[in-house]
Amino acid sequence: MPTNFTVVPVEARADGGGDEAAERTEAPGTPEGPEPERPSPGDGNPRENSPFLNNVEAEQESFFEGKNMALFEEEMDSNPMVSSLLNKLANYTNLSQGVVEHEEDEESRRREAKAPRMGTFIGVYLPCLQNILGVILFLRLTWIVGVAGVLESFLIVAMCCTCTMLTAISMSAIATNGVVPAGGSYYMISRSLGPEFGGAVGLCFYLGTTFAGAMYILGTIEILLTYISPGAAIFQAEAAGGEAAAMLHNMRVYGTCTLVLMALVVFVGVKYVNKLALVFLACVVLSILAIYAGVIKSAFDPPDIPVCLLGNRTLSRRSFDACVKAYVTDNNSAASALWGLFCNGSQPSATCDEYFIQNNVTEIQGIPGAASGVFLENLWSTYAHAGAFVEKKGVPSVPVAEESRASTLPYVLTDIAASFTLLVGIYFPSVTGIMAGSNRSGDLKDAQKSIPTGTILAIVTTSFIYLSCIVLFGACIEGVVLRDKFGEALQGNLVIGMLAWPSPWVIVIGSFFSTCGAGLQSLTGAPRLLQAIARDGIIPFLRVFGHGKANGEPTWALLLTVLICETGILIASLDSVAPILSMFFLMCYLFVNLACAVQTLLRTPNWRPRFKFYHWTLSFLGMSLCLALMFICSWYYALSAMLIAGCIYKYIEYRGAEKEWGDGIRGLSLNAARYALLRVEHGPPHTKNWRPQVLVMLNLDAEQAVKHPRLLSFTSQLKAGKGLTIVGSVLEGTYLDKHMEAQRAEEGPLPSGLRSVCTEASGCRAGLVRGLVVTGPPDTVLSSCQARAVPRPPETLQFCKVVFPAAAGQKVEVSGEQAGGTTLSWKNFVDTVRDTTTAHQALLVAKNVDSFPQNQERFSGGCIDVWWIVHDGGMLMLLPFLLRQHKVWRKCRMRIFTVAQVDDNSIQMKKDLQMFLYHLRISAEVEVVEMVENDISAFTYERTLMMEQRSQMLKQMQLSRSEREREAQLIHDRNTASHTATAARTQAPPTPDKVQMTWTREKLIAEKYRNRDTSLSGFKDLFSMKPDQSNVRRMHTAVKLNGVVLNKSQDAQLVLLNMPGPPKNRQGDENYMEFLEVLTEGLNRVLLVRGGGREVITIYS
C-alpha cells in the first residue's frame, strides 16, 4: 500500500538545543601527539589546529596530507576523493560479490600475482568455437542433410544461425553497457529485466546447460559403443529387432558411469579441465580440417566405399561382406552370407524372402565425390516414418506384398519419424555456446571490445562451416548413406569419418574428445551459474546451493547438476534430449533480445553501450525468431518451458527477495505510469471509471508507532482491491532534526513501522514510502502530499479519524495528531472539512475506528446501514457495495434508509428508491423513515444554550487563541459527558451556577484584576442570554435524527451517514463539532461521508 510521510517544521527551539551533527563534530577527546620519529607533514611545522578538523582524525587520516582539501575533509568517509575513486575503478575485477565484499576482497587480491589477461582470439573467439562446434556436427549433420535435403537443411541452419547472430548483437550491446561479473547471461538478463525475469531465465539457462552436458555425454557413449568399441556393450539383443532397446540400456549404464567420472574430475580439479580445453579445441579444429581435406580429395580421387542395395533398399553390411546372393565357381554355385540372412537355409532350394527373390543385388559408391553430380539428387527432402526402408531413388525395384519379417532382415531402417520441426530441434543445440565469451569477461584485457568482436566472428565462422558442410555433404555423399544415421551400410563406420582424409579415425577420435570436453565444460559451468543465482538470494529455496568448498567451488550446486544431468542420461536418446535443451536456450536468447529492445526503446540515461551496431528492430526480430523456433521445434516443449519459467517468475515475485537493480522492466513501468498519469491529467475521469483513491492521515505516538492500524485495514476493505491508497503522517519539526524519527516511523518493524503496518493491513508487498518536507503551516500538508506523491483526481477520498468522547475527560483526536502526543484542536478538523470541500474531494470520518474489524476477522451476519439524507453523488451507495466485496463484510446485508418530510409521499419514495437501486444493480433493503414536525424539546434548548454560553464566555474573557481553544475543548467535553443518559433529556435547564468550567475562583479573580477594563456586567449578561434560533434548529435536527438512527440502526455492524457541512461563518466552528457529536451519539461504528460534488455511480453501462 503506498504511503506518504510528511514532516512539518516548527519554530526553532527556545532552549537553544545544539545540532546533533555539531555535537558529533565537537566530540571530546585529547588528540594524540605525533610520534617522535615521524616527520611532520608539509614544511616541517606541526599541523595547526583547525576549527573544521578534529585533531584525532588529522592524526589518523595520514592520507590527507596538507590543507588543500581541508574544506571537504569532513565528507571523505561518504564522498571519497576522485583520485581514490579512479584508483579503485581502475583496479576493479569482475567478482560475483557485491560492492562491500569487493572492497573487503581487494587487499587480498592485490597481494596475488595478476594473471595475464587474454585478448579477443584466445579469450572469446576460440571458446565460442569450442562451444558451438560439437556433437551435432559429427553425429547428426549428415543425417539431417540426407533427410531434409540440401535446401531445407540450408534453411534450418540459416534460421538458427540468424537467430544466434541477432542474439549476439543484442548481447554485445548489453555486455558493453558496463562490467559483466560472474553469471554471464543470467547477470545480463537479471540486471536488464529484473530479478523475476533474471531468475526465471537464469534457471532455464542452467537447465539448458545441464541437459547439454547430458547430450554431450550421450554423444560420447554413442561414439564409443557404435564406432570405437562395439564389443564393449553390456546388453545384447536377445531377439531380432531388439538392438535399439539394448543400445538404450547400454547408453544408460555407460552414461551414468561417465557422468560420475566427469563429476569427480570437476570436483577434484577444475583447473585441469580448463587446461585441457585447448586440447579439446584442437581436436575439433583438426577434425574440421580433415573433413575439408577429404572433400577436396574426393573431387579428384573418390574413395572406394561400396554400398549394397537389394532392389532400391539399402542393406546393413554388419553381418556380411560380399554383396552377392551366391558365389559361382566352376559351374557350381554356393550360397553367400547374404543368402543365409534372407533364406532359411544355404541350399538353393531353401525358402527365401519374396523381395529377395524378385530383386537383384547391386553395389554403388557411398561417396562418389564432389564431381559426381549427386548434389541434384540430394537437393530435396526425403521424410519417412519410423521403421521405413532407406531407399535410393531411380533404382528399379519389384514390389511385393506386405512383409512380416522386414525388421529381422539386414535392411537399413529409419529409427524415428523425421520432420522439419524435429530436425530444427535436434540441430539448434549445435549453434548454442555464444555466451562463452561474455562468461569470461573478467579474464579479458578489454571485454567491451573483445566480446562483440570475438563472438560475432565466431558465429560467422561457424555459420560458414555449417552452411558449407551442408553443401559439401550433399555434393559428395550418396543420399542413402546420408540417411543412414549410424553408418550401418558402411559396416558400422561413422559417415562423416569415411569422407575425411587421411583416416576416419581422425574424426572418430577427434569427435570423441570433443564431446568429452564439451561435457566437462557443461558440468563446470552449470554449477557456477546456479551458484551465482543462489548467491543473489532471489530464490529462497536455492540459497543452500550458494555454498561450496573453502576455495569457492560449488559443491552442492555440482551435486544437483549431476542429478538433473542423470535425468537426461536416463532418456538415453540424443535425438530426444536435444529438443529439450533447445527450448531452454531459445528462451534464454529470447529474453536477451527482449532486454536489449526494452533498454533501447526506453532510452534510459544509463543505456550507453560501446557497441553501436544494434537497433531495437534487430532485437525484436531476434526475439520473434526465437519464439517461432521454439514452437517450430515442439509446441508442447515450448509451452512446458514457458510454464516452468512462469512458475519461477511468480514464485520470485511473491516469495523471492526484493532487489532493485535498475532493470528495464522497472523503467518500463515508470514510463507506462508516466504516460497513464499524463492521460489522467487531460480531464476528469468518467463516472464509470471512478475508483476510490484514498488519502489516509495516520496518528503516531511518541515512539513513532501507528496508533490506530485498524484504519488501514478498513481502507483496504473499502477499496475492494481497486484504486490507490496514500498513507501519510505528520511529524512536527524540521527534517534535519526529525529525519531519524521519520526513518524509524517509515521503516520500523511491526507493529510500529508505517510501511510494515501498511503491508500487514493491505496484504500486499508493493508500497511507496516517501518522506515529505513541508515548510508551510499544517494546512499545506494536503497539497504537498499531492505534489510529491501520486496526483489525485478531484474525487479523491480524504480519510480522517475522529475518536468521539464516551466518558468525561476524553479528548477529540483528529487526523492531524502529532507524533509527540500533543492533540491539535478541533479547529484543524473543521479546517480540513473546509479544505476538502473547496478542493471537491470526498471526506470520510470514521468514529471509534479501533472497534472496526481487521482483515482477518469475519462478520457472520448483521447489516450495513446507509442513512441517505442528502444526495452526495452516490458515494453513500457505492461505499457499502465496495465493502461487501471484501470477505470481512461479505455476509452483511445492506439496508438503505431515507428520511421523508411532512409533504413527501413515503410510499412513492420507497418505490422510486427501489427502482433506482435496481438500475444501479445494487441489492439492498429499502426503508423510508418519516420525521414529523414537533416542538423543540427542553433538552435541545438547554444544550444549545450551554454551547453558546461557553463560546460567549471565552470571548469575553479575552483569552489567547490557543487558550480559548483548549478551554473550549475541556468545557465542551465535560458538559456533553453529563448528558449522555436519555433520562437527562427531560430535566429542566440547569441553573447558571451548575455550568462546569475549568476556571477556579482564584484564576477568575486574577484574570479580572489583570483586565480591569472588563465590565462585570458582561458575565451577568452571559447567563441571561438567549440561544440563537438557527443553532436551536440545527441542534433540534441533530437530536431528532440521532434518535431515529439509534432506533433503527443501533445493532448494525456499520452505519454510514451524510456528514453535514461546516458553517459558512467561522465564528460557529466550535458549535459544528457539538452538532456532530449529538448526531452520532450512542452509535458504535460510524462512517460520516461527505461527497466531492461529482457523480461516482451511474445506472448506464
Side-chain angles (χ1 to χ4, degrees):
M1 183 183 296
T3 57
N4 269 319
F5 203 85
T6 308
V7 178
V8 181
V10 296
E11 297 179 359
R13 288 175 294 179
D15 58 358
D19 187 29
E20 295 180 3
E23 292 175 3
R24 289 193 300 268
T25 304
E26 299 174 0
T30 305
E32 301 176 1
E35 298 178 0
E37 64 275 6
R38 181 178 177 180
S40 300
D43 54 358
N45 298 323
R47 183 178 300 181
E48 62 181 10
N49 292 331
S50 170
F52 301 100
L53 302 176
N54 186 280
N55 289 339
V56 177
E57 297 177 356
E59 289 296 327
Q60 293 176 350
E61 296 291 338
S62 59
F63 180 79
F64 304 109
E65 302 290 347
K67 311 180 187 62
N68 292 335
M69 294 297 148
L71 185 61
F72 303 95
E73 195 165 4
E74 287 187 350
E75 301 178 353
M76 289 300 179
D77 292 338
S78 58
N79 301 331
M81 292 183 63
V82 174
S83 58
S84 174
L85 176 66
L86 294 178
N87 181 50
K88 292 180 180 180
L89 290 178
N91 294 327
Y92 182 82
T93 56
N94 287 301
L95 301 174
S96 58
Q97 304 104 319
V99 178
V100 177
E101 291 83 353
H102 172 65
E103 295 294 337
E104 294 175 353
D105 202 45
E106 188 176 4
E107 288 297 327
S108 60
R109 287 187 172 268
R110 284 181 178 177
R111 300 190 190 103
E112 299 176 0
K114 291 186 177 180
R117 299 283 181 170
M118 294 182 292
T120 303
F121 185 76
I122 299 295
V124 180
Y125 181 75
L126 291 183
C128 286
L129 279 184
Q130 181 186 5
N131 282 268
I132 295 174
L133 300 174
V135 60
I136 302 297
L137 171 65
F138 300 116
L139 296 183
R140 292 295 182 268
L141 190 58
T142 54
W143 174 71
I144 291 175
V145 174
V147 173
V150 174
L151 292 180
E152 291 189 18
S153 301
F154 200 90
L155 178 61
I156 292 173
V157 175
M159 282 196 309
C160 296
C161 292
T162 303
C163 176
T164 55
M165 176 61 75
L166 294 174
T167 305
I169 293 174
S170 300
M171 182 200 68
S172 300
I174 298 174
T176 57
N177 191 49
V179 182
V180 179
S185 60
Y186 159 71
Y187 183 90
M188 290 187 293
I189 296 173
S190 62
R191 269 56 176 182
S192 298
L193 294 179
E196 293 87 2
F197 278 105
V201 181
L203 281 183
C204 287
F205 189 62
Y206 162 75
L207 293 175
T209 307
T210 304
F211 274 100
M215 184 188 71
Y216 292 132
I217 293 176
L218 291 176
T220 302
I221 303 305
E222 182 176 317
I223 294 173
L224 175 66
L225 296 180
T226 307
Y227 307 114
I228 296 180
S229 179
I234 299 176
F235 298 92
Q236 303 293 336
E238 298 179 356
E243 293 84 358
M247 184 64 180
L248 292 180
H249 293 314
N250 288 318
M251 297 279 282
R252 293 185 180 101
V253 173
Y254 276 97
T256 302
C257 297
T258 306
L259 174 62
V260 173
L261 181 62
M262 288 185 175
L264 290 176
V265 172
V266 173
F267 178 78
V268 173
V270 178
K271 57 182 180 180
Y272 301 110
V273 177
N274 295 330
K275 289 181 180 179
L276 291 174
L278 289 178
V279 177
F280 298 142
L281 177 61
C283 294
V284 176
V285 174
L286 289 176
S287 300
I288 293 174
L289 293 178
I291 293 173
Y292 283 110
V295 170
I296 296 174
K297 180 180 179 296
S298 69
F300 305 100
D301 183 16
D304 184 18
I305 303 175
V307 175
C308 186
L309 299 179
L310 177 61
N312 61 354
R313 300 176 182 178
T314 309
L315 298 179
S316 172
R317 301 195 69 165
R318 292 180 181 270
S319 305
F320 65 94
D321 293 327
C323 186
V324 291
K325 290 185 177 182
Y327 298 103
V328 178
T329 56
D330 298 333
N331 294 326
N332 294 322
S333 62
S336 64
L338 185 60
W339 182 279
L341 295 174
F342 282 89
C343 303
N344 57 2
S346 58
Q347 302 298 326
S349 60
T351 303
C352 297
D353 180 74
E354 184 67 23
Y355 188 86
F356 180 76
I357 298 173
Q358 298 293 334
N359 292 275
N360 295 324
V361 175
T362 57
E363 266 191 346
I364 60 173
Q365 286 297 322
I367 303 179
S372 62
V374 74
F375 178 80
L376 295 178
E377 298 179 7
N378 296 328
L379 205 58
W380 309 106
S381 62
T382 312
Y383 297 111
H385 58 274
F389 299 104
V390 177
E391 300 175 339
K392 178 175 173 55
K393 299 177 183 178
V395 176
S397 174
V398 179
V400 295
E402 184 177 354
E403 305 167 72
S404 58
R405 295 180 58 241
S407 59
T408 62
L409 298 176
Y411 290 119
V412 178
L413 306 175
T414 57
D415 59 336
I416 58 174
S419 63
F420 179 81
T421 58
L422 176 67
L423 297 182
V424 172
I426 293 176
Y427 172 76
F428 187 81
S430 65
V431 297
T432 59
I434 62 175
M435 301 288 184
S438 62
N439 292 342
R440 303 187 179 197
S441 59
D443 301 325
L444 302 175
K445 292 180 181 178
D446 187 358
Q448 297 191 358
K449 178 182 178 182
S450 298
I451 290 177
T453 306
T455 304
I456 293 176
L457 284 179
I459 293 176
V460 170
T461 303
T462 54
S463 300
F464 172 78
I465 291 174
Y466 281 124
L467 292 173
S468 61
C469 284
I470 286 175
V471 176
L472 295 177
F473 291 164
C476 297
I477 305 176
E478 182 62 47
V480 292
V481 177
L482 289 173
R483 294 192 294 277
D484 184 6
K485 183 186 294 186
F486 302 107
E488 295 179 4
L490 305 179
Q491 297 180 340
N493 291 313
L494 185 61
V495 174
I496 195 173
M498 302 302 292
L499 176 64
W501 181 87
S503 171
W505 288 101
V506 175
I507 299 295
V508 173
I509 300 301
S511 60
F512 178 80
F513 283 109
S514 171
T515 51
C516 282
L520 286 172
Q521 291 289 344
S522 297
L523 291 180
T524 304
R528 280 159 178 75
L529 178 59
L530 181 61
Q531 187 182 44
I533 299 173
R535 285 184 173 177
D536 266 344
I538 59 175
I539 305 178
F541 69 86
L542 290 181
R543 289 175 182 169
V544 64
F545 299 106
H547 306 291
K549 294 192 294 186
N551 59 355
E553 292 298 325
T555 307
W556 293 106
L558 176 62
L559 180 61
L560 179 64
T561 302
V562 170
L563 293 178
I564 298 176
C565 192
E566 176 65 17
T567 305
I569 289 176
L570 292 178
I571 298 175
S573 173
L574 189 148
D575 299 327
S576 301
V577 173
I580 296 177
L581 63 100
S582 295
M583 291 300 111
F584 294 124
F585 278 117
L586 279 169
M587 182 167 291
C588 177
Y589 296 165
L590 183 149
F591 281 100
V592 169
N593 287 290
L594 176 62
C596 182
V598 168
Q599 296 281 18
T600 306
L601 290 175
L602 288 179
R603 299 178 182 177
T604 55
N606 190 55
W607 179 247
R608 304 183 302 273
R610 290 188 178 275
F611 181 77
K612 302 299 182 183
F613 305 99
Y614 70 94
H615 195 266
W616 69 268
T617 54
L618 296 178
S619 300
F620 186 78
L621 180 61
M623 181 178 64
S624 304
L625 189 56
C626 288
L627 187 63
L629 286 175
M630 287 179 66
F631 283 92
I632 288 175
C633 294
S634 174
W635 65 268
Y636 47 90
Y637 278 168
L639 293 179
S640 301
M642 289 182 176
L643 180 62
I644 293 173
C647 293
I648 299 171
Y649 178 94
K650 299 305 291 185
Y651 177 81
I652 297 174
E653 184 179 14
Y654 286 105
R655 296 295 304 275
E658 294 184 0
K659 300 287 185 179
E660 177 52 56
W661 289 330
D663 51 88
I665 296 299
R666 183 70 178 269
L668 191 63
S669 301
L670 292 175
N671 273 21
R674 172 182 171 272
Y675 175 77
L677 288 175
L678 291 176
R679 291 291 303 272
V680 168
E681 292 296 325
H682 285 172
H686 194 272
T687 303
K688 292 185 290 185
N689 293 326
W690 185 86
R691 300 290 188 276
Q693 317 289 349
V694 186
L695 172 62
V696 183
M697 302 302 293
L698 288 179
N699 300 330
L700 304 179
D701 57 17
E703 301 298 328
Q704 280 73 51
V706 177
K707 274 190 174 182
H708 306 284
R710 289 177 181 258
L711 186 63
L712 287 173
S713 298
F714 183 69
T715 305
S716 65
Q717 298 161 18
L718 181 68
K719 292 192 308 174
K722 306 296 182 183
L724 177 69
T725 298
I726 302 174
V727 181
S729 190
V730 180
L731 287 182
E732 183 180 357
T734 62
Y735 191 77
L736 185 62
D737 296 332
K738 295 289 185 178
H739 69 280
M740 295 300 295
E741 289 85 346
Q743 183 177 2
R744 185 165 67 251
E746 289 176 4
E747 303 295 343
L750 276 172
S752 59
L754 197 58
R755 184 190 293 270
S756 302
V757 173
C758 293
T759 304
E760 182 74 12
S762 63
C764 62
R765 294 170 54 90
L768 171 68
V769 176
R770 290 289 182 268
L772 306 184
V773 181
V774 183
T775 57
D779 58 1
T780 64
V781 172
L782 292 177
S783 60
S784 299
C785 288
Q786 181 175 355
R788 284 290 302 274
V790 180
R792 307 191 306 271
E795 50 281 323
T796 299
L797 301 179
Q798 168 73 30
F799 213 134
C800 294
K801 173 192 64 64
V802 177
V803 178
F804 285 83
Q810 272 196 330
K811 298 180 182 293
V812 175
E813 300 178 354
V814 299
S815 63
E817 185 178 356
Q818 304 168 10
T822 19
T823 305
L824 296 179
S825 69
W826 44 266
K827 188 70 174 177
N828 284 345
F829 175 77
V830 181
D831 290 340
T832 301
V833 177
R834 284 198 175 96
D835 290 342
T836 53
T837 303
T838 305
H840 299 289
Q841 296 172 356
L843 179 66
L844 306 181
V845 179
K847 175 188 175 182
N848 296 335
V849 71
D850 289 331
S851 65
F852 277 61
Q854 292 182 340
N855 289 340
Q856 294 78 16
E857 301 178 24
R858 302 288 184 274
F859 285 132
S860 58
C863 300
I864 300 177
D865 288 354
V866 178
W867 285 85
W868 192 19
I869 310 301
V870 295
H871 182 58
D872 60 349
M875 185 78 69
L876 275 174
M877 304 292 182
L878 191 59
L879 292 181
F881 171 78
L882 295 177
L883 283 175
R884 294 183 67 237
Q885 306 304 307
H886 198 275
K887 49 193 174 183
V888 175
W889 307 88
R890 189 165 295 160
K891 296 183 179 181
C892 294
R893 294 180 293 112
M894 180 177 171
R895 298 190 302 182
I896 296 182
F897 298 89
T898 187
V899 177
Q901 301 297 325
V902 178
D903 299 333
D904 296 331
N905 186 344
S906 58
I907 299 177
Q908 187 62 36
M909 283 182 62
K910 184 174 182 179
K911 291 181 179 179
D912 294 341
L913 183 54
Q914 288 175 340
M915 182 59 65
F916 181 60
L917 292 178
Y918 176 77
H919 288 303
L920 289 177
R921 291 90 63 198
I922 294 178
S923 176
E925 301 176 12
V926 176
E927 185 172 347
V928 177
V929 179
E930 297 181 354
M931 291 183 64
V932 297
E933 292 288 345
N934 54 9
D935 296 333
I936 298 175
S937 65
F939 174 76
T940 302
Y941 189 86
E942 171 205 359
R943 193 153 187 174
T944 308
L945 179 61
M946 292 178 60
M947 177 182 68
E948 294 189 355
Q949 284 176 347
R950 180 177 62 246
S951 301
Q952 187 64 24
M953 180 184 64
L954 293 177
K955 292 177 182 178
Q956 292 186 4
M957 292 168 61
Q958 297 181 359
L959 299 177
S960 65
R961 180 180 178 182
S962 60
E963 290 176 341
R964 184 168 69 245
E965 292 175 355
R966 183 176 64 251
E967 293 301 326
Q969 186 74 50
L970 295 174
I971 295 170
H972 148 80
D973 290 344
R974 293 182 179 180
N975 278 305
T976 54
S978 64
H979 296 283
T980 54
T982 308
R985 299 185 179 184
T986 59
Q987 295 178 358
T991 56
D993 58 312
K994 291 185 180 179
V995 176
Q996 300 184 27
M997 297 182 295
T998 59
W999 291 88
T1000 62
R1001 178 179 180 83
E1002 292 78 8
K1003 191 171 183 180
L1004 184 60
I1005 294 174
E1007 183 68 22
K1008 181 172 62 175
Y1009 278 105
R1010 192 180 65 178
N1011 303 287
R1012 294 182 180 274
D1013 296 336
T1014 304
S1015 173
L1016 293 177
S1017 61
F1019 289 98
K1020 296 179 181 179
D1021 297 338
L1022 178 66
F1023 300 112
S1024 61
M1025 63 181 296
K1026 294 183 179 181
D1028 187 354
Q1029 291 302 316
S1030 62
N1031 288 337
V1032 173
R1033 287 188 289 105
R1034 291 189 179 93
M1035 184 65 72
H1036 174 69
T1037 303
V1039 171
K1040 193 168 184 180
L1041 188 58
N1042 176 257
V1044 174
V1045 174
L1046 278 175
N1047 184 35
K1048 298 288 186 179
S1049 303
Q1050 191 167 13
D1051 297 331
Q1053 302 290 2
L1054 179 65
V1055 176
L1056 285 85
L1057 190 64
N1058 281 116
M1059 182 178 179
K1064 297 181 179 179
N1065 185 7
R1066 289 181 176 270
Q1067 300 298 326
D1069 286 353
E1070 61 273 16
N1071 301 336
Y1072 176 69
M1073 294 299 298
E1074 184 82 13
F1075 297 146
L1076 292 182
E1077 290 180 20
V1078 174
L1079 182 63
T1080 59
E1081 192 173 10
L1083 298 174
N1084 184 21
R1085 300 187 191 96
V1086 182
L1087 187 65
L1088 294 176
V1089 180
R1090 184 164 178 81
R1094 282 181 52 89
E1095 293 290 338
V1096 299
I1097 193 169
T1098 178
I1099 64 175
Y1100 300 103
S1101 60

